[in-house]
Amino acid sequence: MHPSLSFEQAPPISVPYRFFLVAPWFGVLAGLLLAWSGGDVLASRWSPDTLALVHLIAVGFMLQAMSGAMFQFIPVAVGGNVWRSLWVANAIQPLLILGALLLVAGFHFSAPVLLSAAVPALLAGVGIFVGVVLLALWRTPATGMTLWTMRIAVAGLAVTVLLGALLAEALARGLDLPIIELTNVHLAWGLGGWALMLVAAVSYFVVPMFQLTNPYPLWFARWFGPLLLVMLLLWSGLWFRDDLRPAQAFGVPVSLLCVAFASMTLRLQYTRRRKINDATSLNFRVAMIALLVFAISGTAMAIDPTISDDPRAAVWLGMLVFPGVFVSTISGMMYKIIPFLNWLHLQRLGAPISAVPNMKKMIPGDSMTAQFRLHVLAVLLLLAAVWLPSLAEVAGLVFSASCAWLAWNLTLAMRSYRRFRDQIRASVLRC
Amino acid sequence: MSTTQPLFQHHKHCDEIFADAEEACSNGDWTAGAKAFASFAGQLETHFLSEEEVLFPAFESATGMSSGPTEVMRGEHRQMRDLLAQMKLALVDRDSDGFGGTAETLLIMMQQHNMKEENILYPMCDSALGGTDIGNSIAQRLVAS
């Protein structure tokens, strides 16, 4: 049988769930750290606590959620068989959590020993993950741009983490390396090569599916990922030239590519056949608007480098992209994937479908929408706090509360699953 | 025209009337909702039957694969028929939460089912059944519905 034609290879529900349930708590920590550190932390992208904040979101929130989603997505969407997914999840999740916490503590306390200690944990965790996932993506007989874009994204993750490990060791041991240039390349691969690439790959599949939009045009899906990859390769080289102006100017075409993806997704959403708005479609829309503002700001900074003279300009970009684009996208995705996973696994327990509660009974809709509103408020406050540092404490607390609420909603979903599972098992036994 | 082209296009048609039914019922317009739902349920049943009575048997006899992908698709048709029955009950009871929740579940089920067919099974059928008249018989069934 063709591997894509059933869910037999889909992992046990505990595999994606463990990553989804942990991810928001890194967001809670990030908000608390910002509230505790205050507005000074937003004065520059290079302050230790700014680096700690970025990695709480990137290595904590995003990497957890994206890893969990890939375990689920690869078998279902591209028919790949992830080798021993339960074993791999058991092995890598503690490594990723430990690595993220050590890294963040290393930045926060400016402690080289902690930075060094984070490196093997993250290299091992991400290394196993990348190896297993690439194997699955390579062996699947499926074709199409979701698959190819996903392969590029996983390679992008590997590049990001290798560069990150090099940077952490350079900081910890005082190695004589071009730290600023390497950081720019590390950031570009993390945001573009891994995160945006993965969002694109998944969007090709889920945007038409969840919202009944037209598919992304084939020419777009064929060109977007490979073009972004080529641009990242070129950009990486330009940062190491003596004259930095070409590297700065190259921000324009990269930003235009972001504009293209955001505009295409918004256009598809605008012309969607399904007019119902829910927490998923709203989160996606906010994410794409944030990506547009990010790209416009990036273009302005590339055209007029004096704007970047204010170190807060880079922090502004970070606020747009981390909480604005990626936390929104991930939250929206989790709000749709998790109720469907619940339903999918419950209906496999052997009860008639009429006995399986529908997707909307897994997480209260009002609670998801209210959390989404709080998240939008948090993003707006975070953006304002870049220019009005006195808002940093309240922005941090609101972001923290929003992430805690997300965690609570996901916990409710897990409880619903357990409750319905026990009810169905009891009724199947009675029959 | 490939053998499965009419079914491919019919997926989009079903999506559109699904969206009409869901929107009307979520706005409390039960009369329009009932009409759109009846049309959607009828079209979906015609689609399933065209596959189960024409396409799948032809594919199975051409390839000898009778317990493979077509069996999985038949199983998913059963699940979607059950969900349709639940939606119909909710519609009769004017239970907007029940209708909306089951509609959402059916939508995701239907979309991932369609993607499996469009990306994998239909191309397999097109290569196994090229040169036959199966595509025309399917198109006639769908047009007549």
Side-chain angles (χ1 to χ4, degrees):
Chain A
M1 188 193 303
H2 194 288
S4 278
L5 286 172
S6 84
F7 287 104
E8 293 309 312
Q9 293 175 334
I13 198 167
S14 72
V15 169
Y17 249 121
R18 73 187 65 200
F19 293 96
F20 294 156
L21 288 171
V22 165
W25 292 106
F26 280 99
V28 173
L29 279 180
L32 291 177
L33 179 60
L34 176 60
W36 187 75
S37 309
D40 290 347
V41 79
L42 303 178
S44 150
R45 64 185 273 213
W46 300 108
S47 75
D49 274 344
T50 318
L51 294 168
L53 279 175
V54 164
H55 288 89
L56 274 170
I57 298 295
V59 187
F61 191 108
M62 288 165 59
L63 187 55
Q64 285 286 324
M66 288 172 150
S67 311
M70 286 198 86
F71 275 106
Q72 184 64 40
F73 198 74
I74 288 174
V76 173
V78 294
N81 183 11
V82 180
W83 179 77
R84 295 194 178 193
S85 56
L86 188 59
W87 184 90
V88 173
N90 280 335
I92 70 163
Q93 195 187 24
L95 289 168
L96 295 181
I97 294 173
L98 179 69
L101 291 174
L102 286 170
L103 188 67
V104 167
F107 285 125
H108 177 65
F109 297 111
S110 298
V113 65
L114 295 177
L115 289 178
S116 271
V119 170
L122 288 173
L123 280 180
V126 175
I128 296 170
F129 177 70
V130 166
V132 166
V133 159
L134 270 186
L135 195 66
L137 289 174
W138 223 258
R139 283 187 168 174
T140 174
T143 54
M145 287 320 293
T146 286
L147 178 65
W148 272 104
T149 313
M150 202 171 268
R151 286 172 178 162
I152 301 173
V154 177
L157 173 64
V159 173
T160 307
V161 173
L162 285 172
L163 286 171
L166 184 65
L167 278 161
E169 286 296 340
L171 287 176
R173 296 166 193 254
L175 302 179
D176 184 22
L177 288 172
I179 299 281
I180 293 177
E181 292 77 8
L182 276 175
T183 305
N184 286 336
V185 176
H186 164 68
L187 190 62
W189 279 89
L191 290 176
W194 157 240
L196 185 59
M197 199 73 78
L198 185 64
V199 166
V202 173
S203 295
Y204 299 156
F205 192 83
V206 300
V207 168
M209 178 168 170
F210 292 161
Q211 297 168 44
L212 292 181
T213 70
N214 285 322
Y216 285 79
L218 195 56
W219 61 265
F220 183 88
R222 275 195 183 143
W223 280 101
F224 178 77
L227 198 57
L228 181 56
L229 174 67
V230 170
M231 284 195 179
L232 286 171
L233 288 167
L234 288 172
W235 209 13
S236 303
L238 288 177
W239 282 112
F240 294 98
R241 288 166 55 128
D242 289 336
D243 183 2
L244 282 180
R245 279 173 301 181
Q248 284 165 344
F250 209 71
V252 176
V254 174
S255 296
L256 287 178
L257 210 51
C258 293
V259 169
F261 180 74
S263 312
M264 179 59 76
T265 306
L266 286 170
R267 192 180 74 85
L268 290 175
Q269 287 185 326
Y270 185 70
T271 55
R272 70 197 192 278
R273 288 187 286 273
R274 190 179 191 220
K275 298 299 180 195
I276 287 173
N277 285 321
D278 56 21
T280 298
S281 63
L282 294 171
N283 265 302
F284 246 84
R285 208 172 304 160
V286 165
M288 291 305 120
I289 291 168
L291 184 58
L292 269 183
V293 180
F294 168 83
I296 292 165
S297 308
T299 307
M301 287 165 69
I303 291 172
D304 180 2
T306 58
I307 300 174
S308 324
D309 289 346
D310 185 342
R312 289 181 186 273
V315 181
W316 164 259
L317 290 182
M319 284 301 182
L320 281 166
V321 80
F322 286 105
V325 177
F326 292 116
V327 173
S328 307
T329 312
I330 288 169
S331 306
M333 285 290 300
M334 291 199 293
Y335 278 154
K336 194 67 80 178
I337 293 175
I338 286 177
F340 186 63
L341 279 184
N342 275 9
W343 182 83
L344 194 66
H345 285 270
L346 288 171
Q347 61 90 28
R348 293 170 78 186
L349 294 173
I353 282 199
S354 57
V356 180
N358 68 55
M359 280 172 65
K360 287 196 177 168
K361 294 193 174 153
M362 305 303 174
I363 310 176
D366 291 346
S367 190
M368 288 191 281
T369 316
Q371 187 275 327
F372 161 76
R373 289 192 183 126
L374 190 65
H375 168 67
V376 173
L377 176 66
V379 172
L380 292 174
L381 283 168
L382 288 166
L383 289 170
V386 175
W387 309 107
L388 301 167
S390 59
L391 285 175
E393 282 86 354
V394 69
L397 288 175
V398 173
F399 183 69
S400 194
S402 166
C403 289
W405 198 344
L406 175 65
W408 172 245
N409 281 341
L410 302 186
T411 306
L412 284 181
M414 186 190 63
R415 286 187 181 175
S416 300
Y417 174 76
R418 286 188 177 151
R419 188 174 72 249
F420 294 137
R421 179 195 61 191
D422 295 344
Q423 283 172 7
I424 290 171
R425 279 184 179 159
S427 69
V428 168
L429 281 176
R430 274 199 299 274
C431 291
Chain B
M1 184 185 75
S2 70
T3 305
T4 56
Q5 185 69 23
L7 289 164
F8 190 92
Q9 287 163 348
H10 196 247
H11 280 162
K12 310 293 169 234
H13 176 56
C14 290
D15 286 350
E16 273 167 27
I17 32 181
F18 167 87
D20 293 342
E22 190 189 32
E23 191 181 2
C25 292
S26 73
N27 292 335
D29 186 349
W30 294 103
T31 313
K35 198 174 158 198
F37 176 77
S39 164
F40 167 67
Q43 289 292 310
L44 203 58
E45 186 58 28
T46 305
H47 189 95
F48 290 164
L49 288 176
S50 302
E51 291 178 342
E52 290 166 1
E53 293 175 355
V54 183
L55 183 71
F56 294 172
F59 173 78
E60 286 160 0
S61 69
T63 62
M65 294 168 71
S66 58
S67 59
T70 47
E71 196 49 38
V72 177
M73 295 295 108
R74 282 193 182 93
E76 292 191 356
H77 288 175
R78 273 193 297 278
Q79 291 175 318
M80 287 187 275
R81 284 182 172 116
D82 286 346
L83 288 168
L84 274 176
Q86 271 182 270
M87 283 168 78
K88 194 171 180 183
L89 283 178
L91 190 75
V92 171
D93 293 343
R94 301 203 164 183
D95 169 8
S96 57
D97 285 349
F99 186 88
T102 315
E104 171 106 350
T105 313
L106 174 66
L107 173 69
I108 308 288
M109 181 78 214
M110 190 166 74
Q111 293 301 312
Q112 57 87 24
H113 173 84
N114 291 354
M115 286 194 190
K116 288 177 197 170
E117 288 189 338
E118 291 170 12
N119 295 333
I120 298 148
L121 184 60
Y122 287 175
M124 289 165 83
C125 290
D126 288 340
S127 82
L129 303 172
T132 67
D133 200 33
I134 301 293
N136 281 333
S137 345
I138 291 171
Q140 280 164 14
R141 271 177 170 247
L142 296 176
V143 169
S145 65

